[in-house]
Amino acid sequence: MDLTHIDEHGRARMVDVTEKAETSRVAVAKGTVSMKAETLERIRQGGIAKGDVLGVAQVAGIMAAKQTSNLIPMCHPLAITSARLNFKIIPPETVEIKSSVKVTGKTGVEMEALTAVSVAALTIYDMCKAIDKTMVIGEIRLIEKMGGKSGHFIREEYLEQ
């Protein structure tokens, strides 16, 4: 398979989706933020001076999904129809972030789902960095995508779930 964002001269290009049919598309992404157990406990108890960490991260992730084309040069601007973020606290030291983004359009929303997780993770880091500079953002990955010409993709380790 050829790289779609490279033209015949090896230059970057935005893919032409003019002739593609609009279809329903969904992408799901996940990522983690690992931290000291004390930091996670303060998040759970609402003891972070900047406010509700997961509430702010949720809004930041949704906003990021809507702004993806302004951040990633070759992404098309999309009229996203749904963007959801969920957080799972995994004691003793991890917050798992999951995003789900939907659109009816000519191109997928994988980048929007990944951007939502990334910015939510960065927001958690920003809100907690005063008390924990050891936090690690990791494992940001596409879990599933549905719709479009390439069909359904689900990451192998999630097939059993």
Side-chain angles (χ1 to χ4, degrees):
M1 177 180 258
D2 292 328
L3 295 175
T4 58
H5 288 86
I6 306 294
D7 71 12
E8 62 277 3
H9 305 290
R11 294 189 179 128
R13 70 175 176 132
M14 186 178 208
V15 175
D16 184 354
V17 296
T18 305
E19 302 302 320
K20 289 178 79 175
E22 287 197 354
T23 61
S24 178
R25 298 159 182 267
V26 179
V28 179
K30 282 188 177 181
T32 59
V33 182
S34 299
M35 61 196 69
K36 294 177 184 174
E38 303 82 37
T39 306
L40 184 61
E41 189 55 32
R42 285 183 66 179
I43 290 172
R44 287 168 52 120
Q45 293 179 3
I48 303 296
K50 288 186 177 183
D52 176 6
V53 173
L54 300 183
V56 174
Q58 185 172 33
V59 172
I62 292 168
M63 290 175 65
K66 297 187 322 181
Q67 294 297 315
T68 300
S69 66
N70 291 326
L71 300 169
I72 311 295
M74 300 305 160
C75 284
H76 293 83
L78 300 175
I80 292 171
T81 57
S82 175
R84 299 177 62 119
L85 273 91
N86 296 308
F87 302 91
K88 180 178 179 182
I89 293 179
I90 305 171
E93 58 190 24
T94 302
V95 175
E96 181 183 78
I97 305 161
K98 180 179 178 182
S99 71
S100 176
V101 180
K102 296 178 183 179
V103 71
T104 298
K106 296 181 177 199
T107 189
V109 286
E110 296 96 309
M111 294 307 300
E112 287 72 10
L114 290 162
T115 300
V117 169
S118 300
V119 172
L122 288 167
T123 300
I124 291 169
Y125 190 99
D126 177 56
M127 293 189 73
C128 299
K129 69 183 185 250
I131 63 167
D132 187 354
K133 292 180 180 28
T134 68
M135 290 177 286
V136 175
I137 295 169
E139 300 180 9
I140 297 172
R141 68 243 184 242
L142 180 69
I143 299 302
E144 186 173 13
K145 80 146 230 58
M146 293 168 273
K149 184 177 170 183
S150 64
H152 188 204
F153 162 82
I154 185 163
R155 188 171 288 279
E156 197 171 300
E157 61 265 30
Y158 292 92
L159 286 172
E160 297 87 36
Q161 296 179 9

